[in-house]
Amino acid sequence: MMRKPVDTGDPDRLYTVTGGRSRADDSFDLVTLVVSECEPTAGMQSEHARILEMCRHPTAVVEIAAELKLPITVVRILLGDLLAMGRITARHPRAAQSVASLPDSALLKEVLHGLRNL
């Protein structure tokens, strides 16, 4: 089965979707979880409305981009719009506070070994 290449979108369409902007909001990385804070409203840009519908439950930025079939940069611009309007919240993954709080590498190797034996 031949796979279809990733749709990067028609440049004119992407220009229209972003209002000509090319600078994405840096507060969203690929694994940031986005949650809707409201329902879509009449007259809202269709991409904004789809994001709000998709994000009723926490959804990663990369999942949003895949579902919308839009480049990450475009999705980050749209998310920046919604965040500025207070229509979404962003939850960033928690980083380990220190190397000491990370799991022991020996334990991880045992888990990997166990999974391979399944």
Side-chain angles (χ1 to χ4, degrees):
M1 180 159 130
M2 181 175 256
R3 286 187 164 228
K4 186 175 155 183
V6 174
D7 179 18
T8 56
D10 174 38
D12 293 335
R13 176 176 172 261
L14 298 178
Y15 183 87
T16 303
V17 166
T18 62
R21 295 169 292 156
S22 61
R23 305 265 314 158
D25 191 322
D26 290 334
S27 60
F28 298 99
D29 60 23
L30 296 177
V31 295
T32 299
L33 296 176
V34 177
V35 179
S36 302
E37 294 298 327
C38 64
E39 294 293 321
T41 57
M44 178 180 278
Q45 183 176 335
S46 63
E47 290 81 8
H48 286 151
R50 286 191 61 205
I51 290 170
L52 291 178
E53 290 169 356
M54 286 175 46
C55 296
R56 289 186 176 128
H57 301 285
T59 307
V61 172
V62 70
E63 293 178 73
I64 297 167
E67 182 68 28
L68 294 177
K69 296 182 177 132
L70 290 172
I72 291 289
T73 303
V74 172
V75 171
R76 289 172 59 201
I77 291 168
L78 295 171
L79 291 172
D81 296 343
L82 291 169
L83 185 64
M85 292 185 278
R87 295 180 182 262
I88 61 168
T89 54
R91 299 177 185 169
H92 303 283
R94 294 183 185 163
Q97 293 184 3
S98 70
V99 175
S101 66
L102 293 173
D104 178 43
S105 63
L107 173 64
L108 292 175
K109 287 179 184 176
E110 286 181 40
V111 170
L112 182 58
H113 180 69
L115 289 172
R116 286 184 180 152
N117 288 333
L118 290 177

